[in-house]
């Protein structure tokens, strides 16, 4: 295994990691030896590109119906224990209004793959939000749809799309998903979204069943190919009512290590400290921010439905009101030494000039 020494200059780490060999990536991923250096340089690089800014995105979980059956996910269609719900356009709009008043300038509409929301319904929802909030970003996270559907939604006013690839290794993908799902299709959706003009977010689970360093290196290689604006990662957390209920979850340290590597490989990227990270450790999100993450996504969903959007066991933030969640996160961000900003928060292509 190569021994890594990229020197003391953080930008030298960025240059080295953009050309890192697989052997170097394995070394960084598989040993705790480099953690201190990775974490320090990742934080330095986020400060070079983003200062201490942390962007907030208001997450609206508008449906927990899903046609898919991913083995890790709590809202998979075979889970008969889930109380299914759908929010109406009016309810979604109320979430946005509450969010706007709380300073949110990005709304993330996330849901299972719920075909009850046709292109027409979704476009009406998106264009109404667009009319009411012309200065906000509308992010969609609705899974795999047709190119035409993505195009119509973009035209209706959506400008960002989150679609995690989950794992970029084909054989691994097949062990996490039923056979009707394919990695090739997932990837083609991501490239289509990019081509249409969306700012695109991909991402993967850390510590999912059967994952080794090999799969994580594939994830990094795929991201280098895609060049996304956003990368969402979080630890796998078992859900008691899924086939993976008795697998162990992803670890805090590996998630932090991957966040730091991502910040160094993609210095400009928007990188959330996710709810899953906050779920496996009381200070998970703060620790994420300290190793390169620069986005947090408080929940704006109506309190009555939050517990029903249970992707994994013990998910946090399910009891709080939107305002509570917003101020809780603001305090956490400040305590970690960063600052919440309320602008739209697009990706920065250049370093900050002093
Ligand atoms: N543990 C952690 N994350 C999960 N997700 C789904 N199920 C789980 C789980 N059991 C993540 C997936 C999905 C995102 C919305 O939530 O990566 O893309
Ligand atoms: Fe939701 Fe703390 S972030 S309650």
């Amino acid at each position: 295994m190569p021994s890594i020494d990229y020197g003391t200059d953080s930008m030298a780490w960025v240059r080295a990691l953009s050309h890192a060999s697989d052997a170097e990536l394995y070394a960084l991923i598989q040993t705790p030896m480099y953690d201190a250096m990775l974490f320090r340089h990742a934080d330095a690089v986020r400060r070079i590109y983003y200062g201490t800014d942390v962007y907030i995105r208001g997450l609206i979980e508008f449906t927990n119906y899903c046609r898919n059956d991913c083995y890790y996910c709590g809202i998979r269609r075979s889970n008969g224990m889930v109380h299914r719900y759908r929010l109406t356009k009016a309810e979604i709009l109320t979430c946005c209004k509450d969010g706007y008043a709380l300073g949110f300038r990005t709304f993330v509409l996330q849901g299972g793959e719920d075909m009850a929301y046709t292109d027409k319904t979704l476009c009406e929802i998106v264009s109404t939000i667009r009319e009411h909030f012309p200065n906000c970003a509308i992010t969609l996270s609705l899974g795999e749809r047709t190119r035409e559907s993505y195009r119509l939604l973009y035209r209706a006013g959506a400008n960002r799309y989150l679609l995690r690839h989950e794992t970029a290794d084909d054989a691994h993908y097949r062990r996490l998903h039923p056979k009707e799902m394919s990695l090739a299709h997932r990837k083609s959706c991501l490239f289509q979204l990019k081509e249409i003009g969306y700012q695109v977010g991909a991402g993967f689970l850390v510590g999912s069943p059967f994952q080794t360093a090999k799969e994580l290196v594939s994830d990094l290689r795929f991201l280098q190919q895609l060049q996304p604006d956003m990368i969402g990662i979080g630890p796998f957390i078992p859900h008691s009512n899924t086939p993976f209920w008795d697998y162990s979850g992803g670890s805090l340290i590996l998630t932090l290590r991957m966040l730091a590597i991502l910040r160094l490989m993609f210095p400009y990227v928007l990188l959330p400290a996710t709810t899953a990270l906050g779920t496996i450790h009381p200070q998970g999100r703060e620790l994420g921010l300290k190793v390169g993450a620069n986005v947090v996504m408080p929940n704006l969903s109506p309190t009555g439905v939050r517990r029903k959007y249970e992707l994994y066991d013990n998910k946090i933030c399910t009891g709080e009101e939107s305002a509570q969640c917003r101020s809780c996160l603001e305090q956490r961000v400040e305590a970690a030494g960063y600052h919440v900003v309320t602008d739209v928060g697009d990706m920065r292509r250049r370093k900050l000039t002093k």
Side-chain angles (χ1 to χ4, degrees):
M1 206 175 275
S3 112
I4 306 278
D5 186 6
Y6 302 141
T8 53
D9 173 16
S10 299
M11 288 310 291
W13 278 70
V14 169
R15 285 189 295 274
L17 273 180
S18 73
H19 297 105
S21 65
D22 285 2
E24 287 170 87
L25 295 177
Y26 277 107
L28 292 170
I29 292 171
Q30 285 180 310
T31 68
M33 248 163 81
Y34 304 108
D35 286 347
M37 277 189 288
L38 279 174
F39 296 167
R40 176 154 39 89
H41 292 301
D43 185 51
V45 168
R46 77 92 76 204
R47 286 170 192 269
I48 291 171
Y49 281 78
Y50 287 98
T52 56
D53 289 1
V54 172
Y55 301 108
I56 52 172
R57 319 294 196 200
L59 184 62
I60 305 168
E61 299 158 331
F62 72 96
T63 171
N64 69 352
Y65 281 85
C66 190
R67 66 172 168 180
N68 287 334
D69 222 12
C70 309
Y71 302 144
Y72 47 83
C73 184
I75 64 167
R76 64 199 299 267
R77 75 162 182 260
S78 299
N79 185 359
M81 307 287 277
V82 180
H83 293 269
R84 306 282 171 173
Y85 71 91
R86 296 187 170 106
L87 299 186
T88 63
K89 178 172 147 184
E91 287 170 321
I92 295 172
L93 212 59
T94 303
C95 294
C96 296
K97 285 182 182 149
D98 294 348
Y100 194 89
L102 292 168
F104 289 94
R105 295 296 176 268
T106 296
F107 304 117
V108 182
L109 267 56
Q110 184 173 91
E113 290 193 13
D114 180 358
M115 295 305 127
Y117 292 86
T118 59
D119 290 346
K120 185 164 169 286
T121 321
L122 283 172
C123 285
E124 276 169 21
I125 294 171
V126 169
S127 56
T128 309
I129 300 176
R130 178 50 67 229
E131 271 163 40
H132 281 75
F133 308 101
N135 61 338
C136 293
I138 303 175
T139 305
L140 301 178
S141 180
L142 318 170
E144 298 179 13
R145 299 182 71 90
T146 61
R147 181 197 290 264
E148 180 61 5
S149 171
Y150 290 151
R151 208 182 55 76
L152 293 170
L153 290 163
Y154 186 78
R155 219 179 48 189
N159 38 10
R160 298 181 186 151
Y161 204 102
L162 306 178
L163 180 64
R164 291 192 185 173
H165 61 280
E166 313 295 358
T167 173
D169 180 275
D170 204 44
H172 189 218
Y173 193 92
R174 279 183 266 121
R175 298 183 82 175
L176 301 183
H177 302 96
K179 62 178 180 309
E180 61 272 16
M181 293 177 71
S182 91
L183 177 61
H185 189 256
R186 180 65 56 109
K187 286 182 175 175
S188 82
C189 287
L190 283 162
F191 286 107
Q192 284 169 18
L193 288 160
K194 215 176 155 175
E195 206 178 283
I196 291 167
Y198 285 95
Q199 296 170 36
V200 170
F204 54 90
L205 291 164
V206 177
S208 56
F210 323 114
Q211 184 185 66
T212 65
K214 170 175 172 270
E215 285 75 30
L216 289 168
V217 171
S218 306
D219 289 319
L220 298 174
R221 295 300 182 211
F222 171 65
L223 292 168
Q224 282 181 316
Q225 205 191 335
L226 180 68
Q227 290 292 321
D229 302 74
M230 299 153 307
I231 301 175
I233 70 163
F236 159 69
I237 304 172
H239 184 289
S240 46
N241 236 328
T242 62
F244 289 161
W245 63 275
D246 63 344
Y247 282 84
S248 41
S251 73
L252 175 71
I253 191 70
L254 185 58
T255 309
L256 297 177
R257 193 178 296 156
M258 293 314 296
L259 282 172
I261 292 173
L262 289 169
R263 171 57 65 209
L264 292 166
M265 285 182 94
F266 306 93
Y268 53 79
V269 86
L270 292 159
L271 191 62
T274 54
T275 308
L277 187 55
T279 297
I280 60 164
H281 188 280
Q283 241 78 57
R285 287 167 299 178
E286 290 86 329
L287 292 167
L289 294 171
K290 290 184 181 179
V291 302
N294 63 341
V295 173
V296 288
M297 300 173 73
N299 205 320
L300 282 183
S301 310
T303 334
V305 305
R306 288 190 189 192
R307 245 181 289 274
K308 300 178 183 152
Y309 202 85
E310 207 186 34
L311 305 175
Y312 43 81
D313 287 343
N314 306 315
K315 187 174 164 222
I316 53 167
C317 301
T318 55
E320 283 72 13
E321 298 281 337
S322 300
Q324 284 175 321
C325 214
R326 161 77 168 83
S327 69
C328 164
L329 262 181
E330 176 140 20
Q331 281 168 31
R332 287 168 181 272
V333 168
E334 301 286 325
Y338 304 92
H339 298 287
V340 166
V341 294
T342 54
D343 70 23
V344 178
D346 283 321
M347 187 174 89
R348 298 249 172 88
R349 287 178 193 280
R350 264 188 292 265
K351 297 181 199 170
L352 289 178
T353 42
K354 291 256 163 68

